[in-house]
């Protein structure tokens, strides 16, 4: 009101805006033009004014200003690095706070300059590729791009952009999401997985995984050799496949639910067992010590898979079998010899006698053990035999076999 009254006594043309309040309380905006009036002698007589209702215009202007303010807040608070460049010359006309924060440039150092002048692209030829894609498609999404900060630090980003019109100018609206940490983690994971893969594939032990539903997966080469299957033949099978031939050490066939991996999945506990698995390539059983460990996800009480290792003991089992067969052959010869045979240790304690010795001496096998065999010697000959034995034992460090004649 005071501002309006002051203009009434103005001696020059003026215009300004003010508000009025109608009787019903409505506020309206007025654009006022004031012109001073003078007589022919130049004496100021007063003012002549005109008023125009600009409420609609002010409403639009306020809405636009509020909209621009909201846009500015959204623009500045966007988590990505956002920039607007003119299509005509590539110069920056706007950047957000995250742009300055991540790249290290002040706004005043960027506006009016190009990315080439600032050296923002690690490989400037990528900009031509981006511009070509934008011009061809109008938009680009998740383009992997390396940027340089003001200090020269390399940032790995996912770049997106589109062509839009701002204040009558064609502009590139671009944003870059910093994925440097994520890429570093991915690369570290890739290296770790490669190390794991090399270890997995080159282990002497066989290794495979079995899922909770019984499906077999992820076996290494050593494991395939032990069971005589190709990778394609193994993957996707279950313990219930009819072609599996799995036996215990006594050659009793094991049911699928008795396989160590299935026991681990069912009980949720480690399971180790020696089993024979028929190897179709060797056409014989491979003897394996299998250890199955259940694996759990956080918070779960039931395993989601089993980690299974296989140690090939076929050579050991064959050696044991050969020794056992040799012992059985020796025992058969020993027991069926027509000569009475016994064996003692270095101290003269009997370890073994054959059937013919028992018949010859009249003693049972149990009676002959230890010093019991001496009962078969005539009392008058025992001292002589004892002296002869001690003399002989002094010349021999290991056990002996002798015939009683």
């Amino acid at each position: 009101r005071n501002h309006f009254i002051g203009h009434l006594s103005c001696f020059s043309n003026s215009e300004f805006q003010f508000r009025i309040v109608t009787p019903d309380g409505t506020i309206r905006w007025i654009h006022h033009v004031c012109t001073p009036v003078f007589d022919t002698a130049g004496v100021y007589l007063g003012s002549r004014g005109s008023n125009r209702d600009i409420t609609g215009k002010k409403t639009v202007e306020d809405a636009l200003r509020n909209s621009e303010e909201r846009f500015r807040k959204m623009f500045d608070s966007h988590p990505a690095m956002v920039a607007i460049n003119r299509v005509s010359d590539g110069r920056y006309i706007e950047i957000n706070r995250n742009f300055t924060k991540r790249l290290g440039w002040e706004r005043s150092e960027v506006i009016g300059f190009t990315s080439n002048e600032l050296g923002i692209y690690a490989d400037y030829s990528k900009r031509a590729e981006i511009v070509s894609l934008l011009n061809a498609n109008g938009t680009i999404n998740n383009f992997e791009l390396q940027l340089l900060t003001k200090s020269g630090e390399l940032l790995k980003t996912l770049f997106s952009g589109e062509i839009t019109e701002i204040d009558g100018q064609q502009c590139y609206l671009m944003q870059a999401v910093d994925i440097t940490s994520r890429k570093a983690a991915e690369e570290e994971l890739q290296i770790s997985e490669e190390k794991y893969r090399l270890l997995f594939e080159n282990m002497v032990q066989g290794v495979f995984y079995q899922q909770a539903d019984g499906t077999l997966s992820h076996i290494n080469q050593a494991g395939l050799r032990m069971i005589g299957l190709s990778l394609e033949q193994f993957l996707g099978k279950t313990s219930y496949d009819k072609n599996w031939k799995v036996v215990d050490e006594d050659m009793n066939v094991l049911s699928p639910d008795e396989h160590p991996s299935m026991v681990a999945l069912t009980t949720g506990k480690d399971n180790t067992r020696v089993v024979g698995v028929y190897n179709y390539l060797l056409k014989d059983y491979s003897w394996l010590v299998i250890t199955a460990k259940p694996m759990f996800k956080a918070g779960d009480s039931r395993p989601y898979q089993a980690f299974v290792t296989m140690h090939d003991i076929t050579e050991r089992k064959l050696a044991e079998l050969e020794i056992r067969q040799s012992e059985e052959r020796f025992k058969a010869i020993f027991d069926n010899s027509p000569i009475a045979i016994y064996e003692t240790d270095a101290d003269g304690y009997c370890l073994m006698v054959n059937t013919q010795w028992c018949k010859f001496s009249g003693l049972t096998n149990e009676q002959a053990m230890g010093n019991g065999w001496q009962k078969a010697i005539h009392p008058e000959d025992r001292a002589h035999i004892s002296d002869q034995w001690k003399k002989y034992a002094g010349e021999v460090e290991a056990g002996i076999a002798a015939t009683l004649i």
Side-chain angles (χ1 to χ4, degrees):
R1 182 175 298 171
N2 292 335
H3 181 66
F4 174 74
I5 294 172
H7 274 277
L8 293 180
S9 58
C10 182
F11 296 109
S12 61
N13 291 336
S14 64
E15 57 182 284
F16 55 91
Q17 299 172 359
F18 63 94
R19 288 167 292 179
I20 65 171
V21 182
T22 65
D24 63 0
T26 302
I27 297 175
R28 307 197 69 82
W29 276 94
I30 303 298
H31 181 83
H32 177 78
V33 178
C34 184
T35 304
V37 178
F38 302 91
D39 63 12
T40 55
V43 177
Y44 175 69
L45 300 177
S47 299
R48 181 181 297 117
S50 63
N51 298 292
R52 182 161 55 92
D53 188 345
I54 60 168
T55 303
K57 178 184 176 184
K58 290 292 288 185
T59 301
V60 171
E61 288 176 349
D62 289 344
L64 180 60
R65 184 169 56 255
N66 291 336
S67 177
E68 289 176 346
E69 186 176 343
R70 287 195 299 271
F71 169 76
R72 165 53 67 182
K73 289 180 179 179
M74 292 173 59
F75 184 79
D76 272 340
S77 62
H78 198 289
M81 294 168 276
V82 185
I84 301 174
N85 304 70
R86 282 196 297 262
V87 171
S88 60
D89 57 11
R91 297 190 180 279
Y92 288 98
I93 63 173
E94 194 56 85
I95 59 173
N96 72 342
R97 280 197 300 264
N98 211 37
F99 186 100
T100 63
K101 179 181 178 182
R102 293 300 299 122
L103 294 177
W105 296 93
E106 295 297 331
R107 185 175 184 279
S108 59
E109 296 175 307
V110 176
I111 301 304
F113 293 90
T114 67
S115 57
N116 188 33
E117 291 170 336
L118 299 175
I120 288 177
Y121 288 87
D123 179 1
Y124 191 69
S125 65
K126 290 293 183 182
R127 184 182 186 278
E129 187 177 347
I130 290 170
V131 169
S132 177
L133 290 170
L134 283 170
N135 290 338
N137 305 314
T139 184
I140 184 174
N141 290 298
N142 297 329
F143 183 92
E144 290 201 10
L145 179 68
Q146 294 184 340
L147 302 178
L148 290 175
T149 67
K150 185 178 179 180
S151 64
E153 178 190 354
L154 185 69
L155 296 184
K156 296 179 179 180
T157 71
L158 278 182
F159 185 89
S160 300
E162 62 181 65
I163 297 177
T164 187
E165 185 175 308
I166 300 176
D167 294 335
Q169 299 182 92
Q170 289 288 99
C171 295
Y172 297 124
L173 175 60
M174 302 180 178
Q175 67 175 35
V177 178
D178 186 359
I179 58 170
T180 306
S181 298
R182 192 186 86 188
K183 291 295 286 185
E186 288 175 353
E187 289 169 4
E188 186 176 342
L189 178 61
Q190 184 177 359
I191 292 171
S192 176
E193 288 178 344
E194 180 65 14
K195 289 179 180 177
Y196 164 76
R197 187 189 66 78
L198 289 172
L199 175 63
F200 183 79
E201 290 298 336
N202 292 284
M203 288 177 66
V204 176
Q205 285 184 315
V207 178
F208 68 88
Y209 290 89
Q210 188 161 10
Q211 305 306 306
D213 63 359
T215 304
L216 298 165
S217 62
H218 299 91
I219 187 169
N220 66 352
Q221 290 300 313
L224 291 173
R225 288 193 295 272
M226 290 178 188
I227 60 178
L229 296 178
S230 68
L231 183 62
E232 292 73 19
Q233 290 172 323
F234 179 84
L235 295 180
K237 282 182 179 292
T238 70
S239 295
Y240 294 92
D241 189 286
K242 63 181 181 181
N243 292 316
W244 288 117
K245 294 180 181 179
V246 183
V247 297
D248 63 16
E249 293 188 87
D250 295 322
M251 298 303 293
N252 298 311
V253 176
L254 297 180
S255 69
D257 292 329
E258 293 177 299
H259 294 184
S261 54
M262 291 298 291
V263 173
L265 288 170
T266 302
T267 65
K269 298 178 180 179
D270 292 2
N271 186 262
T272 299
R273 187 169 190 174
V274 175
V275 300
V277 179
Y278 190 78
N279 187 311
Y280 285 92
L281 289 180
L282 302 177
K283 300 188 183 307
D284 200 354
Y285 281 91
S286 292
W287 289 97
L288 310 171
V289 177
I290 296 183
T291 298
K293 292 181 174 292
M295 300 179 69
F296 300 85
K297 293 180 179 178
D300 288 350
S301 59
R302 297 190 62 80
Y304 71 96
Q305 68 178 5
F307 173 72
V308 186
T309 59
M310 299 182 292
H311 182 61
D312 194 338
I313 59 168
T314 303
E315 290 186 4
R316 191 185 84 189
K317 290 290 288 185
L318 292 176
E320 290 174 354
L321 177 62
E322 187 175 343
I323 291 172
R324 185 166 61 251
Q325 290 174 342
S326 176
E327 289 175 344
E328 288 174 354
R329 287 194 298 270
F330 169 77
K331 189 175 186 307
I333 294 172
F334 183 81
D335 280 341
N336 293 289
S337 174
I339 301 173
I341 303 173
Y342 69 91
E343 182 178 272
T344 72
D345 64 15
D347 295 320
Y349 289 98
C350 184
L351 303 174
M352 185 188 310
V353 294
N354 69 349
T355 303
Q356 187 64 24
W357 193 94
C358 291
K359 291 179 179 178
F360 191 84
S361 67
L363 298 176
T364 65
N365 182 74
E366 291 74 16
Q367 290 172 333
M369 293 300 100
N371 289 321
W373 64 274
Q374 295 182 15
K375 296 176 183 178
I377 307 298
H378 192 282
E380 296 180 1
D381 293 333
R382 285 176 187 171
H384 173 69
I385 292 297
S386 177
D387 291 340
Q388 291 296 315
W389 171 255
K390 289 177 182 178
K391 178 181 177 181
Y392 183 79
E395 299 173 353
V396 180
E397 294 183 358
I400 64 167
T403 57
L404 178 63
I405 56 175

